[in-house]
Amino acid sequence: MKLAVMGVGAVGRAVVELAEDYGHEVVGLADSTGAALGEPLDVAAVLAEKDETGVVGRTSHEELLDADYDVLVEATPTTLGDAEPGFSNAVAALDRDRHVVLANKGPVAERYADLRAAVRESAGELRFEATVGGAIPAVRTIEDLGPERVDRVQGVLNGTANFVLSRMAAEGLGYEHVLAEAQELGVAEADPSFDVDGTDAALKGVIVANVLRDARGEDDISLADAEVAGIEDLPTSALSLAADDGRTVRLIVEATPDGVRVGPRLVPENGTLAVTGTQNIVQVATGHAGRLNISGRGAGGPETASAVLADVGRLPPR
Amino acid sequence: MKLAVMGVGAVGRAVVELAEDYGHEVVGLADSTGAALGEPLDVAAVLAEKDETGVVGRTSHEELLDADYDVLVEATPTTLGDAEPGFSNAVAALDRDRHVVLANKGPVAERYADLRAAVRESAGELRFEATVGGAIPAVRTIEDLGPERVDRVQGVLNGTANFVLSRMAAEGLGYEHVLAEAQELGVAEADPSFDVDGTDAALKGVIVANVLRDARGEDDISLADAEVAGIEDLPTSALSLAADDGRTVRLIVEATPDGVRVGPRLVPENGTLAVTGTQNIVQVATGHAGRLNISGRGAGGPETASAVLADVGRLPPR
């Protein structure tokens, strides 16, 4: 497949670096500064140019969207509300009958119905495995089981929050101390708000809920419909009290066809949900297949890129 | 899709009972006594007849194989060596350009190359998710990651052996005592040899290894090539010694492109591989995506049938 990639963060960069290994060709790459085109694109040269000058290319985004590619990989930063520019990029590619693979959570979490409407009018298909749980095949597993037969999905879907909770419990340290440590290690961003206040986990829950609701003919929901609490105010004493009872605290997302709830919850200390460090876990509950648990790396450039490229591999030839 | 199902054990029975829920139609059902055909087949009536008289139908297997179905579901008991009659049933359907979904491990573990040769000559496709880990999507996850990029798969793939080891460790009871208890509970069969001597787990490992080898252009292997040890001679003292060190024992399968090893291994007591009771777990290790862990119900009629029906859902229309 010929890939056009929008976004040159950790994920977009890993996608263009790994694409050839997966048998694909990168023909376009863009960030907010502009786009570079080529058949194939000299990815190493473009990335070196970007590192040196900060500029990917001088070609316009419109020219990239009109170019000869099979799949648009949308990996610009997730934004809330109108989910721009990710939403318009995805729709522009669908309007041109191209496939779209999203790493950007915004369009599927905030404007799912609008996006599905664009898919219905397009010969292209839409996939978004990378938006939920990095390398973990959450969306695909739900699709395979049949979303109409999945009753509930829950799990740990934010590695930064999980790292903080794991460290607080293991070392008896306070939230601010552990967060600063996580920032030093590069596990937490300079502004970790969306990770620790539950927003990032909630967006993933909303995406899953939208898949479950779509299969049942229900309207889509968005972040505003989710019930969200974070871990910022969790005292270390809550973790030691939990430990006295053989439990610990995890930031748990619960998505059902009825909606999404995110918040710190007590879970058994050595139980399935108590993954440690930056690991993520997804539990998918169904009637016939019981409960499936999938854990792995929920973030990271190559990990998330592997989900993007698995999505690309599932698309029909254009 | 129109399904013809061979085998009326727990899995074949669950497949015909659930098929309609998944949007499919059963047009044939057979066991060793003969076959019943219908468009659609009155599944409830045929199963009631089988329960009462022991006979599914008087139609011949040849007539079933020639009937108008899209997918043959092969769910007769797994046999070693020539893997018959499963192998010939699968090949007969492929020769007629039908799809084949296997729940029977024999053909993919013992005669993988012969089966692939029949697939190459057929317009039908072959799938076998249900042969490894029941409800756990092991084969599909490997396919999605790209089998050529999967370095190693390990896990717990026999629920009976895992139940016995879990109980021995938790209660300090001896092997014979726990096995008898498992038989009473229906967790172990009257003849549990293949479960406790590692054969069943090894067959699953061989299937995975064949997928990894096929992607690398290597010849297939069979059970005879696997290094297999069971749990029959494991003393309870080994489990208590392990516990003193924060570990426990699990019957671990390890499959790589180089081959398969099965045997009791020390694993961390609360670690990912130490699933309890009849749970199974599969760890898939790749370079880019890190290690994915998938746990769930590794056996059972409806659980395994859900894997069969997910396979059916992935097949192209005939």
Side-chain angles (χ1 to χ4, degrees):
Chain A
M1 294 271 203
K2 293 182 180 180
L3 311 185
V5 179
M6 290 195 123
V8 194
V11 176
R13 193 176 276 263
V15 168
V16 299
E17 286 174 340
L18 296 177
E20 204 185 328
D21 277 7
Y22 286 72
H24 307 300
E25 192 180 58
V26 179
V27 297
L29 181 61
D31 71 357
S32 55
T33 65
L37 296 177
E39 288 251 6
L41 191 67
D42 183 345
V43 164
V46 173
L47 291 177
E49 178 73 16
K50 156 98 180 161
D51 288 341
E52 200 175 319
T53 66
V55 175
V56 168
R58 299 292 180 193
T59 308
S60 72
H61 285 167
E62 285 62 39
E63 225 169 311
L64 175 92
L65 288 166
D66 282 334
D68 180 26
Y69 58 93
D70 302 304
V71 185
L72 180 75
V73 175
E74 224 299 328
T76 63
T78 295
T79 52
L80 304 184
D82 64 4
E84 292 295 5
F87 177 80
S88 291
N89 288 339
V91 169
L94 289 167
D95 283 351
R96 288 161 177 78
D97 290 328
R98 315 306 171 86
H99 301 305
V100 172
V101 172
L102 293 171
N104 179 341
K105 294 181 278 294
V108 256
E110 294 288 67
R111 299 182 71 181
Y112 192 76
D114 296 341
L115 200 57
R116 299 299 323 174
V119 172
R120 277 193 296 277
E121 302 294 314
S122 175
E125 295 188 7
L126 171 74
R127 304 205 62 93
F128 46 90
E129 181 64 76
T131 62
V132 182
I136 295 175
V139 175
R140 177 58 191 270
T141 300
I142 294 166
E143 283 177 354
D144 264 11
L145 291 165
E148 67 281 14
R149 280 179 291 273
V150 171
D151 308 317
R152 197 165 71 124
V153 176
Q154 64 173 354
V156 170
L157 285 170
N158 186 280
T160 303
N162 205 64
F163 176 90
V164 170
L165 292 173
S166 305
R167 287 283 295 167
M168 285 173 71
E171 311 292 337
L173 298 168
Y175 170 80
E176 297 295 344
H177 181 102
V178 173
L179 184 61
E181 182 190 76
Q183 286 170 318
E184 270 169 44
L185 290 169
V187 168
E189 294 178 45
D191 177 2
S193 315
F194 281 6
D195 293 314
V196 297
D197 73 6
T199 302
D200 174 74
L203 287 169
K204 294 163 183 168
V206 168
I207 293 167
V208 168
N210 279 336
V211 172
L212 304 186
R213 292 173 66 85
D214 198 19
R216 289 162 171 85
E218 306 274 348
D219 285 348
D220 65 322
I221 61 172
S222 68
L223 182 63
D225 302 304
E227 203 181 306
V228 188
I231 61 165
E232 316 95 308
D233 302 321
L234 196 76
T236 312
S237 60
L239 286 155
S240 29
L241 270 172
D244 292 343
D245 194 31
R247 302 186 196 210
T248 189
V249 177
R250 288 293 178 268
L251 183 66
I252 302 290
V253 185
E254 185 190 19
T256 71
D258 297 328
V260 173
R261 296 190 320 143
V262 176
R265 310 270 183 256
L266 284 172
V267 300
E269 202 163 19
N270 297 312
T272 310
L273 284 173
V275 290
T276 55
T278 58
Q279 287 273 299
N280 282 19
I281 182 164
V282 176
Q283 279 192 336
V284 184
T286 67
H288 303 140
R291 201 151 64 184
L292 278 177
N293 310 296
I294 318 180
S295 65
R297 296 188 191 162
E303 292 83 353
T304 309
S306 82
V308 167
L309 290 163
D311 267 354
V312 172
R314 282 176 215 131
L315 290 166
R318 191 164 64 95
Chain B
M1 295 270 204
K2 293 181 181 183
L3 311 185
V5 180
M6 289 195 125
V8 193
V11 176
R13 192 176 278 262
V15 168
V16 299
E17 285 172 345
L18 296 176
E20 204 185 328
D21 276 8
Y22 285 73
H24 306 301
E25 192 180 58
V26 179
V27 298
L29 181 60
D31 70 358
S32 55
T33 65
L37 297 177
E39 286 251 6
L41 190 68
D42 184 345
V43 164
V46 172
L47 291 177
E49 177 75 14
K50 155 99 180 162
D51 288 341
E52 201 174 316
T53 65
V55 174
V56 167
R58 299 292 178 191
T59 308
S60 72
H61 286 167
E62 285 63 39
E63 225 170 309
L64 175 93
L65 288 166
D66 282 332
D68 180 28
Y69 59 93
D70 302 305
V71 185
L72 180 75
V73 175
E74 223 299 330
T76 63
T78 294
T79 52
L80 305 184
D82 64 3
E84 294 293 4
F87 178 78
S88 291
N89 289 340
V91 169
L94 289 167
D95 283 349
R96 288 162 177 78
D97 290 329
R98 316 305 172 84
H99 300 306
V100 172
V101 172
L102 293 171
N104 179 341
K105 293 181 278 292
V108 256
E110 295 287 69
R111 301 182 69 181
Y112 192 77
D114 297 341
L115 201 58
R116 298 299 326 172
V119 172
R120 278 195 294 276
E121 302 294 315
S122 176
E125 295 187 7
L126 171 75
R127 301 206 64 92
F128 47 90
E129 182 63 76
T131 62
V132 182
I136 296 175
V139 175
R140 203 262 294 137
T141 300
I142 294 167
E143 283 175 355
D144 264 11
L145 291 165
E148 66 281 16
R149 279 179 292 275
V150 171
D151 308 316
R152 197 165 71 124
V153 176
Q154 63 173 355
V156 170
L157 286 170
N158 185 281
T160 303
N162 204 65
F163 176 88
V164 170
L165 291 173
S166 305
R167 286 285 293 166
M168 284 173 72
E171 309 294 336
L173 297 167
Y175 170 79
E176 297 296 343
H177 181 101
V178 173
L179 184 61
E181 182 191 76
Q183 285 170 318
E184 270 168 45
L185 289 168
V187 168
E189 294 178 45
D191 177 3
S193 315
F194 281 5
D195 294 315
V196 296
D197 72 7
T199 302
D200 174 74
L203 287 169
K204 294 162 183 168
V206 168
I207 293 167
V208 169
N210 279 335
V211 172
L212 304 186
R213 292 172 67 84
D214 199 17
R216 290 162 171 86
E218 307 274 348
D219 286 347
D220 64 323
I221 59 171
S222 68
L223 180 63
D225 302 304
E227 202 182 305
V228 188
I231 61 164
E232 315 96 307
D233 301 322
L234 195 78
T236 312
S237 60
L239 287 155
S240 29
L241 271 172
D244 291 344
D245 193 32
R247 303 187 195 209
T248 190
V249 177
R250 287 293 179 267
L251 183 66
I252 301 290
V253 185
E254 185 190 18
T256 72
D258 296 327
V260 174
R261 297 190 319 145
V262 176
R265 311 268 183 257
L266 284 172
V267 299
E269 201 162 22
N270 298 313
T272 310
L273 285 173
V275 291
T276 53
T278 59
Q279 288 273 301
N280 282 17
I281 182 164
V282 176
Q283 278 192 338
V284 183
T286 67
H288 304 140
R291 202 150 64 185
L292 279 177
N293 310 296
I294 317 178
S295 65
R297 296 188 191 162
E303 292 84 353
T304 308
S306 80
V308 167
L309 291 162
D311 267 353
V312 171
R314 280 174 217 133
L315 290 166
R318 191 165 63 96

